[in-house]
Amino acid sequence: MDKEKDFNKRFKLAVERNFDQSAGIYDTFEEKYHLFETLTKKLCELNAPFAPKRVLDVGCGTGISTLCIHKSLKKPPIIYAIDISEAMLIKARERLTGKKGIYFVRGDAEKLSIYFHEAFDAVFYTASIFLLPNFRESIDQACKLILPGGVLAISFYDGLFNARGRDAFALAFPDLKYQYGTVTYADLMKCLAAKKGFRTAQFDYRFEISKEYLFDFLSIPAQSAGFFPKVPYIERIPMIRDLCDKLTEKVRPLFMGWKFVVSRKA
């Protein structure tokens, strides 16, 4: 096994472990801020009046995005939702209890062709693509699953910014090299630009956040592991608190940024 494959394997195991640990905390955060519901709803709005009949939700987590897709479209589609974390899927199944036409699959998002053999009108990656070391393989397989006229819809965490759009971490911590996940936005766009027959549009979404919001977001186990991967979760909390205090002291007001990408197949 070469170094890249070994890294990818270890990273995916770490992601699975962190998200297993994060399931309940993600739901608590979402009940307070409705972030992932908002991201998914905006992706659906950007695709309106397109009404997909079959949707694949990649990295569905606790089912927030899946439920939002189900509710946002005028006629609820058949939805297949995949996630690597069983703890997340347990929450997702509970959230979608009683909803018809929704099927959950535990699996690796980089191996979609193993689990899915029928085509989809839309494939959603809601806050998930940047967690896949071999994201190109996942995108390649997703594009093959999309019917002509169908869409690839992605929300991508873009970072934290000051009022002028400068990177907040770079301003507050010049020596800190931090990238959430393994994929840069530039790499994602290069990958999509190489897809023949797809036409891609990009949209920015930024909103002001408080220090409390920042702490609640960064203290989610899967988030805090990006800063302190070798530190036990309980010991990360005061470290995250200190980081948030220093960041919000140096950067005010503070904005969170996301990118929306909609790529339509000819």
Side-chain angles (χ1 to χ4, degrees), residues 25 47 91 93 126 134-135 138 174 178 216-217 259 263:
I25 300 174
N47 282 290
K91 292 281 187 181
R93 294 185 186 102
T126 305
N134 194 6
F135 77 99
S138 186
Y178 169 70
D216 288 346
F217 180 73
K259 296 279 192 183
S263 192

Side-chain angles (χ1 to χ4, degrees), residues 10-233:
R10 287 187 288 105
F11 184 84
K12 282 194 285 188
L13 287 173
V15 167
E16 181 179 356
R17 182 174 60 253
N18 285 322
F19 276 90
D20 278 345
Q21 192 177 21
S22 300
I25 300 174
Y26 257 114
D27 275 1
T28 300
F29 176 85
E30 184 65 14
E31 288 171 8
K32 191 173 181 179
Y33 299 108
H34 307 287
L35 172 63
F36 302 104
E37 178 185 7
T38 299
L39 295 175
T40 311
K41 188 177 294 184
K42 287 186 176 294
L43 268 181
C44 290
E45 291 172 354
L46 289 169
N47 282 290
F50 179 59
K53 295 179 181 179
R54 286 173 54 85
V55 173
L56 175 58
D57 186 13
V58 183
C60 66
T62 63
I64 297 161
S65 56
T66 312
L67 179 59
C68 189
I69 293 168
H70 176 82
K71 291 166 58 178
S72 296
L73 299 173
K74 187 172 290 187
K75 185 177 180 181
I78 293 172
I79 304 174
Y80 284 83
I82 184 171
D83 202 277
I84 198 170
S85 167
E86 180 61 28
M88 289 283 195
L89 288 174
I90 289 172
K91 292 281 187 181
R93 294 185 186 102
E94 292 174 354
R95 175 171 275 112
L96 277 296
T97 297
K99 303 294 184 184
K100 295 181 179 179
I102 298 174
Y103 307 95
F104 291 100
V105 177
R106 185 184 182 189
D108 187 343
E110 295 177 2
K111 300 177 181 178
L112 297 177
S113 60
I114 292 177
Y115 312 101
F116 307 105
H117 305 287
E118 296 183 40
F120 294 89
D121 300 297
V123 177
F124 280 72
Y125 288 83
T126 305
S128 60
I129 191 66
F130 41 76
L131 295 171
L132 306 179
N134 194 6
F135 77 99
R136 293 179 182 84
E137 183 61 32
S138 186
I139 292 288
D140 285 347
Q141 294 182 28
C143 288
K144 291 175 183 177
L145 289 170
I146 296 173
L147 288 164
V151 298
L152 181 68
I154 299 170
S155 58
F156 192 99
Y157 179 48
D158 196 32
L160 300 169
F161 303 90
N162 71 356
R164 295 184 178 181
R166 295 183 61 190
D167 185 294
F169 276 109
L171 291 171
F173 309 106
D175 297 326
L176 175 65
K177 293 183 179 181
Y178 169 70
Q179 176 185 308
Y180 181 61
T182 62
V183 181
T184 69
Y185 186 68
D187 286 340
L188 173 64
M189 296 313 296
K190 286 179 183 178
C191 175
L192 293 175
K195 296 297 169 194
K196 295 182 179 179
F198 281 82
R199 186 174 181 180
T200 301
Q202 308 171 53
F203 307 88
D204 285 313
Y205 177 51
R206 292 186 182 179
F207 53 95
E208 187 174 350
I209 62 172
S210 65
K211 180 166 68 173
E212 181 182 13
Y213 186 111
L214 178 66
F215 173 75
D216 288 346
F217 180 73
L218 293 183
S219 61
I220 296 171
Q223 301 287 343
S224 62
F227 290 97
F228 310 110
K230 297 181 180 181
V231 178
Y233 176 63

